[in-house]
Amino acid sequence: MRGEGYQLGSALTFVVLFNPGGIVGMLIAGRASDRFGAPRISVLWFALTAVGVFLLSVHMPLGVTLLVVFLTGVFLNSAQTTIYATVSVRATPDSRATVVGWTSGMGRFGAVFGPWLGGRLLAGGHGDRGFTAFAPAGVSSMVVIGIAALRTRQASPGAPGPHPSPAAGSYLSQATIW
């Protein structure tokens, strides 16, 4: 952010705002996932993450940038969490641990690759392209989760919705529906 023309104090404030945004986001995403289903919230949150990350590439007034940083923290941190709920309700009981493990592994790959890519862009004098380079990750996550959710929904027509009655069976078997 310093490379984008912001003062050091403002750049440090961005980091400070991003993390509380994540805390707020996880509280909101958890409630929203329980109400509307984790796949829907994951798709929406990744889309909003992509928008937020892209907006950070645009030079805006400081107050607007602070709000965008906070909201990006809300959506990015909680999107990363709701993905675990999404894949766990989609997987069969005998593959659930493997699916969550693969998801976590891919997340760790991104946690290593993202800073490497950002460092390479900065070292090459292209720091202004950093946010634009990261926005497609949110878009691709949104698309893949959306396709998987639609395929699962089409594969099980007539199945009960995500809010089963206590007599309808276990939550996990019911929650596999969009």
Side-chain angles (χ1 to χ4, degrees):
M1 295 305 281
R2 292 270 328 263
E4 291 296 310
Y6 294 99
Q7 298 296 320
L8 177 61
S10 297
L12 293 174
T13 302
F14 297 150
V15 174
V16 171
L17 277 178
F18 184 79
N19 289 312
I23 294 168
V24 170
M26 287 186 213
L27 296 172
I28 294 169
R31 294 296 297 244
S33 292
D34 287 341
R35 181 160 184 194
F36 301 107
R40 285 182 179 175
I41 298 305
S42 291
V43 167
L44 178 61
W45 260 231
F46 275 114
L48 292 170
T49 295
V51 169
V53 170
F54 179 76
L55 283 175
L56 290 174
S57 69
V58 177
H59 194 73
M60 301 172 281
L62 181 60
V64 175
T65 303
L66 292 172
L67 178 63
V68 170
V69 166
F70 179 79
L71 291 174
T72 302
V74 165
F75 296 117
L76 175 61
N77 289 308
S78 54
Q80 293 172 329
T81 303
T82 60
I83 193 69
Y84 296 119
T86 298
V87 300
S88 69
V89 298
R90 296 274 177 230
T92 60
D94 61 328
S95 66
R96 189 166 291 126
T98 302
V99 169
V100 172
W102 269 95
T103 302
S104 180
M106 290 298 100
R108 294 300 85 216
F109 173 77
V112 171
F113 181 73
W116 174 84
L117 177 60
R120 297 297 299 166
L121 288 169
L122 283 172
H126 304 291
D128 58 336
R129 296 184 190 158
F131 292 114
T132 307
F134 294 123
V139 172
S140 65
S141 297
M142 175 197 69
V143 169
V144 169
I145 294 166
I147 290 170
L150 287 174
R151 289 180 53 120
T152 302
R153 186 174 187 194
Q154 291 170 355
S156 54
H163 301 292
S165 67
S170 76
Y171 178 75
L172 286 178
S173 66
Q174 301 296 316
T176 58
I177 305 305
W178 175 267

